[in-house]
Amino acid sequence: MNGKDRNMEAYIRSVRRRLNLPKAVKDRVISDFISSIEARREAGMSEEAILAELGSPRKAAAELNDQMKEFAFRKSPWRFACLALAVLSGGWLALYRYTIWLGGQLVGVISYHARGSSVGVIGGADGPTAVFVTSQSGVDWDVLLMLLLLAAGVLGYLLLRRCPPKTEE
């Protein structure tokens, strides 16, 4: 395979990546697109002339998307709600962790998870002294909830970027 074939394959991959169509329709459109390129090659056109006639991959994909707009994916309006959920929960987590870090820096606390700890000293000058250290560790449910909301928001946004086309009945 020479460099020109690689350039043409890269061009076709770039056009394919920019198509906003379901996989089956995209496969058919790319097959027809490759056939038209092969027809131009058989007519004696050079690779440079074919690429100049087709234009940039963005332009070629835009034309193909426009021709096949009844099959095109639509964008769900709910994707922005999912994105807002992800941004808000991620921002809350970042702010929460920053304030914990800043509080630890100001107070000199090394471990955040010992927030429920206490130290008790029992004894006196005339007898044995006992030191009791307790800590309350466990799950930070608020952090876990925000992590779940962050994951749900990101996943929802990614899944709703491309919804199936509307079918008119």
Side-chain angles (χ1 to χ4, degrees):
M1 178 182 295
N2 60 23
K4 288 185 178 182
D5 287 338
R6 287 185 184 156
N7 288 342
M8 189 57 75
E9 285 181 12
Y11 179 84
I12 292 169
R13 275 195 312 271
S14 183
V15 169
R16 180 181 179 76
R17 193 172 45 247
R18 288 178 168 86
L19 290 178
N20 186 26
L21 302 168
K23 184 179 179 343
V25 176
K26 188 184 285 192
D27 291 341
R28 188 182 60 187
V29 167
I30 288 296
S31 175
D32 292 344
F33 189 67
I34 292 171
S35 297
S36 73
I37 291 173
E38 291 302 321
R40 288 181 174 118
R41 279 184 180 162
E42 290 173 5
M45 289 181 74
S46 68
E47 299 284 328
E48 293 81 20
I50 293 171
L51 292 176
E53 185 176 313
L54 293 174
S56 69
R58 178 174 283 145
K59 179 180 176 261
E63 289 174 2
L64 291 171
N65 281 327
D66 191 44
Q67 291 172 5
M68 303 298 287
K69 61 184 162 193
E70 65 270 5
F71 296 105
F73 286 116
R74 62 184 176 83
K75 293 182 179 178
S76 172
W78 286 101
R79 72 187 189 281
F80 290 115
C82 290
L83 183 62
L85 176 69
V87 167
L88 290 174
S89 59
W92 185 89
L93 279 171
L95 183 63
Y96 184 72
R97 285 299 175 192
Y98 177 72
T99 56
I100 295 302
W101 173 81
L102 186 60
Q105 295 297 316
L106 293 175
V107 178
V109 176
I110 294 178
S111 174
Y112 163 68
H113 290 292
R115 70 171 185 257
S117 65
S118 63
V119 176
V121 179
I122 299 175
D126 60 343
T129 303
V131 177
F132 295 99
V133 179
T134 64
S135 68
Q136 176 185 10
S137 63
V139 178
D140 290 333
W141 291 105
D142 51 349
V143 174
L144 183 64
L145 176 66
M146 285 301 145
L147 284 172
L148 289 173
L149 289 175
L150 176 66
V154 169
L155 185 64
Y157 178 76
L158 292 175
L159 290 176
L160 292 175
R161 283 187 312 159
R162 292 185 157 188
C163 293
K166 289 182 180 178
T167 56
E168 297 179 24
E169 295 180 27

